[in-house]
Each structure stands twice: as structure tokens, then as C-alpha cells.
Amino acid sequence: MIRAETAAATRQALLEAAAELLDQGGLEAVTLRAVGARAGVTRGAPYRHFPDKERLMIAVGAQAWDELGQQIGAVRRDPGLAPAAKLQALLAAFINVARRRPHLYRLMFSSPAGDPTAFARAAQPTQDESLQIVAALTGEQDARRYAALLLASADGIAGMELTGQLGGDKWRTTAEELIDTLVTMVADQTRAGR
């Protein structure tokens, strides 16, 4: 392996180790030393790739946004799915990240002190894919408004599910039922407006 490939492989191993530690114990569990140990590299290796924990976590979050964007892009390009089904899959993708990896989800929607717009920039391709899915159902003119409403709703649904509120005695519902309701409401609203 040439030097650049070795460096890229080490960097990726560090990102994976950091993501695993984040999943297991939250941000407090992630230190450059622990990441290096988990990745099986020398003590100084993490510092050659990331000057500090914040830069490492920005890289972890940016990679997560890229992976989510690829998943949503595949949904958008799937010719077998109707626009409403694509929208359901889009909302489910966001909620599933929160379900499976709640610490990562919180990280993705944070604003790092040293670079407050880092995740907004990383999220842009995912947001572009999302807007195209929403526009296919609502039309271009209303896509941004509906996309903001839908993604804010998905975030709220994810938060309520993570805290156990949805299935309790008060609401007696599921994230999937709420997604279905949202998509139906948007589809009905956009049909009525045309």
C-alpha cells in the first residue's frame, strides 16, 4: 500500500473507531487516545489526522451526512417507488438514524463551537436530495416549505420516540403511523391546491 492509501486507511479506521465509541457512550466516551487504541494505531496517529476531538467529531458527522445522502439519493432514483412512498422512505431514513444511533443523530444536528456551520455544509447534498423528493409530490414552488415542515416533524417524532413518549398511554402511536399521516396530509394538501 502506498503512503496516501495507508494514511486514508488509518483515517477511516479512526473515524470508524470514533463512531463506535460515540454509539456506545456518547461524546464523553470519545477521546483521541481511546479512538487510537480502538483503531489499533500508535498513540500519536490520531493527532496526525485530527488536531482535536472537535475536528474528529466533525469528520464523523460529515461522513454520516454523506452516508444518509447516498441512501436518500438511492430512494429518489428508485423508479419503482411512487412519490409518496419516496417521501415516506425519506422521513423513515432520518428517524432510523435517530433510532439506531441517537448520539450520532444529535451530533449531526449540532453546531460545533469551532466551526458552527460544518454540519450545515455537510448536510447540503442530503438536503438537496430531500428537496427533490418533496418537490416530486408538492411541486417546486412549495417544496422548501413542505420539506422544512416534514423534516422538523421527523426530528420531533424521533425525539418523542427516543424518550418513549409515542407508545405511552398519552399518544398511543408509532413513528410509522405519524409518517403515514404526514405524507397523507401533504399529498392531500397539494392535490387540493392544484
Side-chain angles (χ1 to χ4, degrees), residues 3-193:
R3 190 176 206 154
E5 290 172 341
T6 301
T10 299
R11 185 178 194 280
Q12 185 58 39
L14 292 168
L15 290 172
E16 290 170 7
E20 290 169 5
L21 288 167
L22 178 66
D23 288 343
Q24 292 172 357
L27 278 174
E28 302 79 33
V30 181
T31 64
L32 287 173
R33 182 170 286 181
V35 168
R38 187 173 197 102
V41 298
T42 64
R43 188 176 274 197
Y47 297 94
R48 287 192 290 276
H49 294 273
F50 304 101
D52 54 35
K53 176 180 172 176
E54 183 177 72
R55 297 309 303 170
L56 171 62
M57 298 317 298
I58 288 172
V60 168
Q63 183 169 300
W65 273 114
D66 182 57
E67 291 167 1
L68 182 60
Q70 290 178 32
Q71 179 185 353
I72 290 170
V75 167
R76 182 185 60 78
R77 292 184 299 277
D78 186 339
L81 292 177
K86 289 180 182 185
L87 185 52
Q88 286 175 315
L90 163 68
L91 297 174
F94 276 90
I95 291 170
N96 284 334
V97 173
R99 276 181 179 156
R100 293 183 185 127
R101 304 180 77 189
H103 297 295
L104 178 64
Y105 182 80
R106 282 189 212 96
L107 175 70
M108 292 167 67
F109 286 93
S110 68
S111 298
D115 188 355
T117 63
F119 293 134
R121 291 189 313 271
Q124 192 61 54
T126 305
Q127 291 172 348
D128 292 343
E129 292 286 355
S130 300
L131 269 173
Q132 290 182 46
I133 289 173
V134 174
L137 188 64
T138 66
E140 292 287 332
Q141 181 176 342
D142 296 323
R144 288 190 184 281
R145 180 170 48 99
Y146 278 111
L149 173 68
L150 290 163
L151 294 178
S153 297
D155 185 54
I157 291 167
M160 289 181 75
E161 184 178 77
L162 287 174
T163 58
Q165 294 179 49
L166 289 184
D169 288 338
K170 185 172 186 176
W171 302 116
R172 296 185 193 135
T173 191
T174 66
E176 289 73 20
E177 289 173 341
L178 293 175
I179 290 171
D180 289 345
T181 301
L182 278 169
V183 172
T184 299
M185 288 170 53
V186 169
D188 290 348
Q189 180 69 31
T190 55
R191 274 193 297 269

